[in-house]
Amino acid sequence: AKKPSWVFFHPMHLITASLAATAALLLIMFWPVHQEASKPNEPYRFVIYRPDVSQAAIAGDFTGWKAVPLQRNGSSGYWEISLSLPQGEHRYVFVLGGGERVPDPTVMTREQDDFGGENTVIATGGNA
């Protein structure tokens, strides 16, 4: 009597099936998750309290390191601006009065710049 074909398993078939199952599991576990379509840049609000200065600006990688003026918020001593930033990591500094460069006092992440000062570092966006 001939054995049915489903009864006979060759060891090589078991090894191949095990490898295929392992590969499929790894693909499922580590396949990149598709994110939502790229969102438009959302405004990021920068604020500094300096009632002692007559002008304030911000300069960063998102302005090409050119000073962009901040708006005085009445007579409160606060200066502010909202800028649309792309997702990712950004560096910036406030430029006050006669050119004094000051990192953002509300953000503790900083790095040394090439001129002996400090830049503030922020991350924007969902996974930034």
Side-chain angles (χ1 to χ4, degrees), residues 22-122:
T22 302
L25 182 61
L26 288 173
L27 277 174
I28 291 169
M29 288 174 52
F30 295 106
W31 193 262
V33 176
H34 293 285
Q35 306 246 336
E36 265 182 55
S38 167
K39 293 180 185 176
N41 299 342
E42 293 186 22
Y44 191 92
R45 185 169 171 245
F46 297 92
V47 179
I48 187 168
Y49 178 73
R50 284 300 296 266
D52 58 318
V53 299
S54 60
Q55 59 185 11
I58 189 169
D61 55 19
F62 45 85
T63 69
W65 292 101
K66 292 182 177 24
V68 175
L70 300 174
Q71 300 298 314
R72 185 191 299 263
N73 188 340
S75 60
S76 66
Y78 286 96
W79 297 82
E80 62 184 281
I81 191 170
S82 290
L83 298 172
S84 292
L85 302 181
Q87 291 186 7
E89 196 172 82
H90 302 286
R91 285 146 182 80
Y92 67 96
V93 66
F94 290 114
V95 183
L96 306 175
E100 175 189 8
R101 299 173 74 84
V102 178
D104 189 332
T106 65
V107 179
M108 295 297 106
T109 306
R110 311 234 172 106
E111 74 179 15
Q112 294 294 312
D113 66 16
D114 295 336
F115 308 102
E118 286 184 322
N119 293 326
T120 303
V121 180
I122 59 169

